[in-house]
Amino acid sequence: MSTAKFGEYGGQYVPEALMPAIEELTDAYERYVLDNEDGFMDEFRERLREFGGRPTPLQHAEQLSERYETNVYLKREDLVHGGAHKLNNALGQVLLAKYMGKERIIAETGAGQHGTATAMAAAHLDMPCEIYMGRTDTNRQRPNVFRMRLNGAEVTPVDVGRGTLKEAISQTMRDWAKTVETTHYVIGSVVGPHPFPKMVRDFQSVISEETRQQLREQTGQLPSSVIACAGGGSNTMGSFHKFVDDDVSLFAVEAGGSSLAVDEERGVAPNSASLTTGTEGVLHGARTKILQDMDGQIMESHSVSAGLDYAGVGPELAHLVETGRITPATVEDDDALSAFHRLSQTEGIIPALETAHAIAWLEDATAEQLGDRVVLTVSGRGDKDLETVLEETAARDIPDGPDMDVFSRNGGINE
Ligand SMILES: *Cc1c(COP(=O)(O)O)cnc(C)c1O
């Protein structure tokens, strides 16, 4: 039996109508994922390899190593099919749905990254797929809407409220409650009711499993520290899980947005740093650290990076921070933008804006925190962020930013 709690956090805070689905999923998680029944995990690994492009490299980054006077290794999840670590989880859950005899996949998406990964996995495994997305987000993220549709998924805009992720999640929950017999809901991070936080962590643990083996091969040793950015926390838990019992320092970097000041009275958080500025509460089926106002309403959060902009965080991550095993850190928008340009220029890797937060934190970390062998997970590539980055860089004074004139009309070619 796997327990639903991580200390005070986690649990299964769901409406009665969803309990049968949660129980069925818990049973399937224990049999197929934990016990490898019918060779589920073998097939999952094989598909990660053939379809997902794993294992991803663990690359010694020469320029970063020189700059920080240590050895910096980049775990290249940006090279996973689809351009981010998200496929690891989506593929695992869609395959599990198949083993469970489900006939349909649903998911919600905010920026569209999780929806895209789910649509790819569903097409690969020949499952019909419906993605709920807030109306505002469908307008903001056109390319991802096209990607999902190209993969054969139905994208259903949600018109309720502000038309963003929160409303899309509620809509997906309602669909699931009505269709549990035939449908699996693919949650996109280590959040939600048990068994999702553990299951998603286990699917993403391939990151730390490979890292461990690759660094052993390259140096014969374990990392001294591992750094990863945290939105919901799937990249962090996947990057950390296989090191939790070892003498390895773990740093989860959250989005500090424009400021760490939270106005609980007005219900505004100009950041998405739930581990650092949040308080205990229940969100999306689990007790965890969340950004809430004095009445317990979820606050509007902010980050320049859409993938980190979530008002909660995985319960296991919240627990491991509370017990002191994981150290939380924050990086503000400007510094993340600066790091985006720095990695692009020094290593030839254009990172996702989410990842840029982890890169930026290297500037703040002490030599003692980092140690001799630093592993940093590049959770995704930055192609999806180019427009945002160019706009935001032009609007601010970003150290290490490029000369913005070269991005003027015609790329500056005729001038
Ligand atoms: C979605 C996303 C994240 C944040 O989600 P987690 O669940 O915290 O991993 C980080 N990096 C990239 C590239 C993403 O797409």
Side-chain angles (χ1 to χ4, degrees):
M1 266 297 287
S2 57
T3 56
K5 289 278 192 123
F6 307 95
E8 298 283 291
Y9 299 114
Q12 296 176 318
Y13 297 83
V14 298
E16 205 53 47
L18 277 182
M19 272 321 283
I22 294 290
E23 277 164 15
E24 189 190 348
L25 184 62
T26 305
D27 175 63
Y29 165 63
E30 289 172 1
R31 282 169 35 211
Y32 296 119
V33 181
L34 298 184
D35 298 340
N36 193 28
E37 198 173 297
D38 298 341
F40 171 83
M41 286 303 285
D42 303 319
E43 180 171 351
F44 174 50
R45 277 161 211 275
E46 181 61 19
R47 287 184 186 274
L48 274 180
R49 198 172 67 78
E50 287 208 323
F51 180 65
R54 305 208 69 95
T56 59
L58 181 71
Q59 178 205 347
H60 186 257
E62 285 162 29
Q63 269 65 245
L64 289 187
S65 296
E66 207 166 293
R67 183 178 178 101
Y68 300 108
E69 297 177 344
T70 178
N71 289 294
V72 179
Y73 296 85
L74 300 176
K75 181 58 174 163
R76 298 289 307 276
E77 293 300 291
D78 56 314
L79 297 177
V80 176
H81 178 45
H85 68 300
K86 285 201 166 64
L87 182 73
N88 302 329
N89 168 48
L91 190 61
Q93 285 196 51
V94 177
L95 187 63
L96 185 67
K98 234 182 167 157
Y99 273 62
M100 291 170 75
K102 301 291 175 192
E103 293 156 10
R104 175 175 171 258
I105 295 298
I106 55 172
E108 93 294 317
T109 197
Q113 297 304 113
H114 172 57
T116 303
T118 305
M120 286 184 339
H124 172 65
L125 290 163
D126 196 22
M127 294 274 264
C129 175
E130 182 170 355
I131 307 288
Y132 290 100
M133 189 170 186
R135 175 76 68 182
T136 312
D137 287 335
T138 59
N139 294 331
R140 282 194 291 210
Q141 311 285 344
R142 306 282 310 154
N144 276 333
V145 174
F146 293 143
R147 277 185 200 110
M148 289 183 262
R149 289 200 167 133
L150 286 168
N151 284 138
E154 195 180 326
V155 180
T156 306
V158 178
D159 283 310
V160 188
R162 290 168 57 225
T164 59
L165 179 63
K166 192 167 133 238
E167 292 84 18
I169 292 177
S170 309
Q171 191 63 36
T172 318
M173 291 266 187
R174 263 196 292 278
D175 180 321
W176 202 31
K178 280 187 291 194
T179 58
V180 286
E181 307 247 311
T182 57
T183 302
H184 176 67
Y185 174 9
V186 179
I187 287 188
S189 189
V190 286
V191 301
H194 176 72
F196 283 105
K198 283 190 174 167
M199 181 172 70
V200 176
R201 174 202 70 198
D202 289 349
F203 289 145
Q204 291 289 2
S205 289
V206 64
I207 302 174
S208 45
E209 193 178 293
E210 286 177 8
T211 300
R212 198 181 170 96
Q213 190 185 345
Q214 289 166 321
L215 197 67
R216 272 250 162 93
E217 275 163 19
Q218 292 179 36
T219 69
Q221 292 178 288
L222 290 176
S224 47
S225 58
V226 182
I227 304 168
C229 63
S234 69
N235 169 50
T236 42
M237 286 315 305
S239 299
F240 297 167
H241 184 59
K242 299 288 179 183
F243 298 116
V244 166
D245 295 332
D246 297 298
D247 183 19
V248 176
S249 305
L250 307 173
F251 298 97
V253 185
E254 300 190 284
S258 54
S259 156
L260 284 183
V262 170
D263 188 339
E264 287 186 8
E265 241 164 274
R266 285 179 44 236
V268 180
N271 60 67
S272 341
S274 349
L275 290 170
T276 308
T277 65
T279 50
E280 214 176 294
V282 172
L283 180 63
H284 300 137
R287 175 168 289 277
T288 185
K289 287 292 261 305
I290 61 180
L291 297 171
Q292 58 188 333
D293 67 14
M294 295 193 339
D295 302 323
Q297 293 294 314
I298 297 305
M299 290 200 255
E300 233 174 83
S301 55
H302 162 80
S303 167
V304 69
S305 142
L308 298 185
D309 193 352
Y310 178 64
V313 65
E316 184 173 20
L317 190 50
H319 171 65
L320 291 173
V321 165
E322 187 154 296
T323 59
R325 179 65 191 91
I326 292 175
T327 307
T330 58
V331 160
E332 296 190 0
D333 291 344
D334 283 12
D335 295 325
L337 282 163
S338 180
F340 176 98
H341 294 297
R342 202 180 314 118
L343 191 72
S344 302
Q345 290 165 20
T346 58
E347 296 288 348
I349 299 169
I350 299 176
L353 265 176
E354 293 84 2
T355 306
H357 286 72
I359 303 283
W361 188 70
L362 287 170
E363 297 281 311
D364 303 335
T366 64
E368 200 177 14
Q369 282 176 315
L370 296 179
D372 295 337
R373 293 168 309 283
V374 185
V375 171
L376 188 150
T377 306
V378 180
S379 53
R381 65 173 184 230
D383 303 50
K384 67 185 177 59
D385 295 319
L386 297 187
E387 239 175 276
T388 308
V389 168
L390 294 184
E391 263 170 40
E392 297 285 341
T393 306
R396 309 155 192 243
D397 186 16
I398 299 296
D400 288 346
D403 175 3
M404 290 310 293
D405 291 345
V406 301
F407 295 106
S408 64
R409 213 199 291 241
N410 303 328
I413 286 166
N414 294 336
E415 287 155 36

